[in-house]
Amino acid sequence: MGIIFNIQGYAVNDGEGIRTTVFLKGCPLKCDWCSNPEGQLPYPEIFQNKELCIKCYKCLEICKCKSITISPEGYPEFSRDNFKNCKEKECIEECIQNGLKEIGYEISAKELFNKIKSNYLFYRNSNGGITLSGGEPFIQPEFVKEILTLAKENGFSIGVETCGYFSYENVKDFIDDFDFFYFDIKTLNAEMHKECTGLDNTVIINNFKRLCVNSAEKITVSIPLIPGFNTDKNSILEIISYCKENNVNKARLLAYHNLGISKYEALGRKYKKEFAFISKDESESLKNLFLANGIQCNVE
């Protein structure tokens, strides 16, 4: 069994062709700019949209695990730890406005594949397939291996988006069987990486090197463009040099956005830090550095 939080059909930005992207729950990094905070914790969470709340307090009346109090503003407030251990979670069903939902659920690899396989003709005709994303897929290695096996046995293309922070020993027997990788390289500066993600990048760098031994041609390096963190010319040139050292010749640049801010409140967390937005001219200039060094590059 694995735990996921979303299945997105007809995705066109997560690999070649039309794809189904499966978002697995749980990630060791806590990036300051993360736009999918619902993918960080490896268990189901309550997602509360206060804009839909009419303060009827039915959730409070029915709650058996004593997870709910009332805030000074009159909204139900949830004890996230209590909710995590609650088995019934009837409060979600009682919300007549659908302002409460549970993010994340268990599913077997076979159940997941059965949900996806009906789209086979779309995949085949567009050179598409399945992309595993997250969170960090490789922290659920057995589940990922099962999905990979089912995809390959049935002729599906399958790729993976990874932050790079995982145990290589847990995936070494099957990782090279993926058709492509989107591998995050946020910065090569270990101290800055730890400051903005919670962990240094030693594991990521080592995993990247190991993966490049057999699969360099399958790797596209993904770089989130975060002003004040990694958009200076020297930081980008370091990444370019590292790609070339490891025979990786594809990159994609992901411009910072803050579209995930509302999710943090709904999950009972705070958005750590807002960054400046990078201009189109700036991102194109960084793209041209890659192109000038013989690395294919797109801005997304």
Side-chain angles (χ1 to χ4, degrees):
M1 299 291 285
I3 182 166
I4 67 174
F5 66 93
N6 193 20
I7 302 173
Q8 181 181 337
Y10 303 99
V12 295
N13 295 315
D14 297 325
E16 186 178 358
I18 298 171
R19 312 191 73 83
T20 292
T21 302
V22 181
F23 294 86
L24 282 73
K25 210 167 182 321
C27 183
L29 304 184
K30 303 294 181 286
C31 302
D32 286 349
W33 53 85
C34 180
S35 60
N36 286 324
E38 69 272 40
Q40 292 178 354
L41 299 180
Y43 50 79
E45 301 174 80
I46 192 166
F47 191 93
Q48 180 184 16
N49 186 342
K50 290 182 178 178
E51 292 183 1
L52 297 178
C53 181
I54 59 172
K55 301 178 182 178
C56 68
Y57 306 130
K58 288 186 179 292
C59 56
L60 180 62
E61 293 172 9
I62 201 167
C63 178
K64 294 179 181 177
C65 66
K66 308 302 180 185
S67 292
I68 307 172
T69 57
I70 302 300
S71 73
E73 296 79 23
Y75 290 106
E77 290 285 345
F78 288 82
S79 165
R80 305 281 164 167
D81 288 337
N82 284 0
F83 183 83
K84 174 184 173 184
N85 296 316
C86 180
K87 303 298 183 184
E88 298 184 22
K89 301 176 182 175
E90 293 176 332
C91 55
I92 294 175
E93 298 175 6
E94 287 298 316
C95 183
I96 60 176
Q97 294 294 104
N98 294 317
L100 300 176
K101 60 181 178 179
E102 190 172 28
I103 299 291
Y105 58 94
E106 285 192 341
I107 190 169
S108 71
K110 188 172 182 179
E111 287 176 293
L112 175 60
F113 187 74
N114 286 339
K115 287 177 177 286
I116 294 172
K117 67 181 182 180
S118 61
N119 293 322
Y120 179 74
L121 288 178
F122 293 102
Y123 304 147
R124 188 187 67 183
N125 294 334
S126 68
N127 293 319
I130 301 166
T131 301
L132 303 183
S133 187
E136 171 49 53
F138 288 130
I139 68 170
Q140 299 187 54
E142 293 303 320
F143 182 56
V144 168
K145 182 179 180 180
E146 289 180 51
I147 300 168
L148 174 64
T149 300
L150 286 168
K152 289 296 185 178
E153 288 176 349
N154 289 274
F156 284 67
S157 163
I158 182 167
V160 63
E161 296 182 302
T162 175
C163 75
Y165 204 104
F166 55 86
S167 168
Y168 209 95
E169 291 302 306
N170 289 341
V171 302
K172 64 181 181 180
D173 294 336
F174 63 85
I175 190 169
D176 291 311
D177 293 334
F178 279 94
D179 295 306
F180 69 88
F181 304 88
Y182 285 152
F183 197 112
D184 288 1
I185 298 289
K186 300 172 177 67
T187 178
L188 294 179
N189 184 308
E191 185 176 329
M192 288 185 66
H193 196 281
K194 184 173 183 178
E195 181 180 343
C196 288
T197 72
L199 295 169
D200 72 31
N201 58 1
T202 304
V203 170
I204 295 169
I205 296 303
N206 289 339
N207 285 345
F208 186 77
K209 288 180 179 178
R210 290 187 68 173
L211 185 61
C212 286
V213 172
N214 294 318
S215 296
E217 74 285 353
K218 299 179 184 179
I219 298 173
T220 297
V221 168
S222 296
I223 306 156
L225 296 179
I226 313 296
F229 173 68
N230 66 355
T231 55
D232 61 285
K233 184 176 180 180
N234 286 339
S235 293
I236 295 299
L237 287 174
E238 284 183 354
I239 295 174
I240 289 171
S241 177
Y242 190 67
C243 288
K244 295 179 73 173
E245 286 174 18
N246 289 280
N247 300 311
V248 171
N249 64 3
K250 297 187 291 292
R252 62 173 187 161
L253 307 180
L254 309 173
Y256 166 75
H257 63 78
N258 62 1
L259 299 178
I261 287 181
S262 62
K263 296 180 183 180
Y264 284 80
E265 182 181 5
L267 292 165
R269 301 181 217 159
K270 291 184 178 180
Y271 192 70
K272 292 182 182 179
K273 180 180 179 181
E274 287 198 60
F275 296 85
F277 295 102
I278 190 167
S279 71
K280 184 176 180 180
D281 287 344
E282 289 175 297
S283 58
E284 286 294 321
S285 177
L286 296 178
K287 168 186 169 182
N288 288 335
L289 288 177
F290 283 88
L291 297 177
N293 282 275
I295 297 176
Q296 302 171 40
C297 186
N298 294 310
V299 178
E300 299 180 10

